[in-house]
Amino acid sequence: MNLLPFDRLPAHAPRRFVPENVAWGDWSQIAPLFDRLEARAARCANAGELERWLLDWSELSAALDEESSRRYIAMTCHTDNADAEQAHLHFVEKIEPHLKPRQFRLELIYLAHPLRVSLSEERYGVFARNTKVHVQLYRDANVPLETEEARLSQQYQKLTGSLTVQFRGEEKTLTQMVRYLEEPDRALRQQAWELAANRRLQEAGKFEQIFDQLLALRQQISKNAGFANYRDYAFRARCRFDYTPEDCLKFHDAVEREVLPALLDLQAERRRRLTLARLRPWDLAVDPLNRPPLRPFEQVESLVSNTNRIFDRLDGELAGGFKTLHDLRLLDLANRKGKAPGGYQSTLAEARLPFIFMNAVGVQRDVETILHEAGHAFHALATRDEDLHAYRHAPFEFCEVASMTMELLGNQFLETFYSPPDARRARRDHLEGILEVFPWIATVDAFQHWLYTHPGHSPPDRTAAWLGLMNRFGGEVDWSGCERARAHLWHRQLHIFLHPFYYVEYGIAQLGALQIWANAKRDPARALADYKRALALGGSRPLPELFSTAGCRFDFSAETVKPLIELVRQELAEPN
Ligand SMILES: [Zn+2]
């Protein structure tokens, strides 16, 4: 049974090295391919042959990557299907543990290869630098620990995806409950918020337990690799060559100094407009003028067609790419029970095609999400002609520039969904959301710095650290009576469980996206051309060069934060 939303995809190119009918769930069929690559490396007689060898290795990596993505996609589309879960787990538990040592051996062979020095430094410099990091960090002893880490991540996904509440006589997922937080009826909002928060709190013990296990595993992984703590390990493993933990701490300070005043102003204005004495947690998403929520679409078909019209207005090539995704059924957008929460873009590495997953329920947030994920998809499409698999994806700090820029540029044409006043309202909401999200990014990132530099902490210590950050960055919201929900709010943040330290990237990238948006205000054609040129570089260049090609600076100090926040505030100050 095909559990994927799409059928057979067109091949990007015929395979040259990997046989056509490999059963990817059977390690005995995969191992000989690694044997052949190992044996062949020694026989490479010139630089051209070594490059050919790299491309064959790349072809194998892409095929394996795609298989892993397919199983992941099937599982997240059907969290309640035992076969999908089993197929994913089988790959994670029975294939990946074999793959890692074999990939490691190929990396060693490559780095030690006598012909490597004859390859172009310009072309292979970034690849060699990243490969060296993998080799330095690789430990056989960590392979089973990473398998366990993936299993626990899946448990977290399954738990969050399974949570439902009874609301107005119907069973609703927690994702479906989010839209009620935009309802003008305050009692209704409160009821919806409390139902969802209490449902999560019922599982608080399980979330804490999953996290404690992840924490112990991660500490052991970093120790095995010779690091004093998991933070330092994660910075290296994520190939963060261009910034340090201290830069991140300075970024948190910059957010506190430059963004928090803007957040407090927004909250004060919201309180005034809603004529409330105090803002409660369920007052944060409703329109401050108590207008009914924006309803950009009822059916996902119109989400797709209107998004397509936005891209038509923006750029013919991008519009064509989006249409291809739709035609190949690489969009699974509607929310339904059994789907994992959230949204993501995944690349089918061999077909070199992107897939977009999300949980659309008919709110403006869905429009933001599809523009965001489409930005990632355009990034994948832009690198289709790159034959080195490792260069077909950029560092995350820049991946999020691709996606967040598309939110800002796409928003210029929201009239495809709305009347002009509603489109302006949606744009304002988005910009306010940007101001609001920086403090949350700082909170989540600072929390992770704390988590992994305080080994042996207890759950109550952890809660205290979290609450300290909520006090520092949360603004003025009255949580009285909801203290437990506030103390466990981080349970909702999937990255903390699944992708440790992958969060500051959103802050770094948002600053890049805001710079491109500012460029587009001056010269839209040039800004878009620079953006597309940078996307096409994939991961072949260092981070600062990707940013500069896109027309922005790689910097997240107060010096960069301050003027961009001012620009957003100016835009918000303009009359509607
Ligand atoms: Zn993203």
Side-chain angles (χ1 to χ4, degrees), residues 233-275:
Y233 170 84
F235 267 65
R236 185 93 312 225
R238 293 189 169 279
C239 293
R240 291 180 174 178
F241 300 109
D242 302 293
Y243 61 100
T244 63
E246 289 66 40
D247 291 327
C248 295
L249 302 182
K250 278 190 215 151
F251 172 65
H252 308 155
D253 291 340
V255 169
E256 189 173 14
R257 215 169 37 245
E258 306 299 339
V259 190
L260 212 56
L263 177 74
L264 290 172
D265 286 352
L266 283 178
Q267 289 181 340
E269 186 183 273
R270 164 175 290 275
R271 193 164 36 76
R272 218 171 29 245
R273 287 183 159 178
L274 288 169
T275 60

Side-chain angles (χ1 to χ4, degrees), residues 372-373 376 399-400 403 502 506:
H372 179 99
E373 303 304 342
H376 286 309
C399 289
E400 298 302 336
S403 55
Y502 180 16
Y506 293 108

Side-chain angles (χ1 to χ4, degrees), residues 365-387:
R365 169 116 200 125
D366 297 329
V367 178
E368 287 174 17
T369 303
I370 198 162
L371 290 172
H372 179 99
E373 303 304 342
H376 286 309
F378 296 148
H379 208 172
L381 290 173
T383 61
R384 283 198 97 200
D385 293 333
E386 168 62 63
D387 286 331

Side-chain angles (χ1 to χ4, degrees), residues 52 120 124 267 360 365 369 372 453 504 519 525-526:
R52 184 69 251 159
S120 149
Y124 292 103
Q267 289 181 340
R365 169 116 200 125
T369 303
H372 179 99
T453 53
V504 72
N519 295 346
R526 163 126 194 244

Side-chain angles (χ1 to χ4, degrees), residues 242-243 379 394-405 504-516 519 526-527 529-535 537-538 541-556 560 564:
D242 302 293
Y243 61 100
H379 208 172
F396 290 122
E397 293 84 350
F398 191 72
C399 289
E400 298 302 336
V401 174
S403 55
M404 290 172 158
T405 301
V504 72
E505 283 89 339
Y506 293 108
I508 297 171
Q510 187 64 264
L511 295 170
L514 286 170
Q515 290 177 73
I516 297 174
N519 295 346
R526 163 126 194 244
D530 288 347
Y531 167 82
K532 285 165 65 174
R533 227 154 32 86
L535 259 51
L537 291 175
R541 307 305 308 154
L543 210 41
E545 194 179 324
L546 296 174
F547 272 68
S548 65
T549 305
C552 50
R553 286 173 53 201
F554 177 75
D555 178 69
F556 48 101
T560 299
L564 290 170

